[in-house]
Amino acid sequence: MPRRFPSRLCVAIASFAVMGCSAAHAFEHVTLRNGFSLDCIRHEAIGDRIRLYTGDTNYQELASAEIASIEMMPDPPKPPPVPAAPLQIHTIPTAAEMHELLAQAGAAHDIDVELLASVIKAESNFRVDAISRAGARGLMQLMPSTAHDLGVQDVTRADQNIAGGTAYLDSLLKLYKDNLALALAAYNAGPAAVAKYHGIPPYRETRAYVSRVMNEFYRRKTALANTTNVASR
């Protein structure tokens, strides 16, 4: 025959059920003298009574004599990080092949080759095998879901990765009417973050990323112009 909970504990038990509390997420485990037990965030002694808090302001009050023990619960262990599957590198493109891939992708979306090179430098430093902490992969650091949406079947192939990343950057440039700073911010932090803050999000990483890409783009264009001027003399 199942044991019935004392009526005065029903409110506390219901509160824990609603909050989804369990021993793994609580801070204290309370054992009652009647054999029942419950979990709470903290307790507070009020005279000869004990308040068992299930939230910041929610609590159940019991007589001290009804409580057999209160034990501190250890923090649950953090789940181990899930290692990303290693990239299967098909071919690491040479400098000439890389330029050709960028030229093809740039021509397909009318995006400056030097801008694509600047994004790749900031994203992966031209590494085909780069994997970010968040799981973004390859040269332009495509997340698996983004790669799937873009029709990239193999992020380890430089041509597919660059084509997918360029298509994504093109869609962002169109979304923000060729506002490069906003497009880069969205590439780094996501369009939702740009919409939330009505501009470049106040994230240190994102602002540094936008500045880094734009400075690299300016440097590359300046160097290219200087080279062209010298060659034309």
Side-chain angles (χ1 to χ4, degrees), residues 16-29:
F16 275 99
V18 172
M19 293 176 62
C21 289
S22 66
H25 296 86
F27 294 101
E28 297 179 342
H29 183 70

Side-chain angles (χ1 to χ4, degrees), residues 10-111:
C10 288
V11 174
I13 294 168
S15 297
F16 275 99
V18 172
M19 293 176 62
C21 289
S22 66
H25 296 86
F27 294 101
E28 297 179 342
H29 183 70
V30 182
T31 302
L32 305 181
R33 295 191 183 281
N34 60 12
F36 293 102
S37 64
L38 56 90
D39 302 323
C40 67
I41 296 175
R42 63 185 178 88
H43 74 277
E44 180 180 357
I46 307 294
D48 62 348
R49 301 187 69 79
I50 300 292
R51 288 181 179 178
L52 305 176
Y53 284 85
T54 61
D56 291 336
T57 58
N58 298 326
Y59 64 85
Q60 175 71 17
E61 192 170 284
L62 302 175
S64 300
E66 296 182 70
I67 298 176
S69 65
I70 299 178
E71 300 175 286
M72 293 295 296
M73 300 296 294
D75 291 335
K78 294 182 179 180
V82 179
L87 287 174
Q88 301 297 321
I89 305 303
H90 294 288
T91 303
I92 299 176
T94 64
E97 290 170 338
M98 178 66 69
H99 186 273
E100 181 61 26
L101 290 175
L102 295 179
Q104 292 175 1
H109 296 277
D110 194 24
I111 295 179

Side-chain angles (χ1 to χ4, degrees), residues 79-227:
V82 179
L87 287 174
Q88 301 297 321
I89 305 303
H90 294 288
T91 303
I92 299 176
T94 64
E97 290 170 338
M98 178 66 69
H99 186 273
E100 181 61 26
L101 290 175
L102 295 179
Q104 292 175 1
H109 296 277
D110 194 24
I111 295 179
D112 195 295
V113 169
E114 301 305 331
L115 174 57
L116 294 179
S118 300
V119 171
I120 290 179
K121 182 174 178 60
E123 289 288 346
S124 64
N125 199 26
F126 293 93
R127 288 180 54 196
V128 181
D129 61 343
I131 304 177
S132 75
R133 289 175 297 178
R137 297 179 164 226
L139 301 175
M140 292 183 75
Q141 293 290 272
L142 298 180
M143 293 295 291
S145 58
T146 303
H148 179 269
D149 293 342
L150 292 168
V152 177
Q153 297 180 346
D154 188 351
V155 293
T156 69
R157 288 186 48 138
D159 56 344
Q160 291 189 26
N161 191 300
I162 291 174
T166 303
Y168 183 48
L169 180 60
D170 183 31
S171 69
L172 294 174
L173 286 168
K174 291 176 180 176
L175 177 63
Y176 300 112
K177 303 186 186 320
D178 289 332
N179 185 318
L180 180 57
L182 290 183
L184 292 174
Y187 196 99
N188 176 262
V194 174
K196 177 180 179 180
Y197 292 101
H198 305 288
I200 300 176
Y203 309 147
R204 181 179 302 176
E205 176 188 342
T206 299
R207 297 202 167 193
Y209 172 84
V210 172
S211 177
R212 187 163 62 250
V213 173
M214 295 187 74
N215 286 338
E216 176 66 13
F217 183 37
Y218 175 77
R219 185 192 70 79
R220 285 175 172 271
K221 294 298 288 184
T222 300
L224 185 62
N226 291 339
T227 301

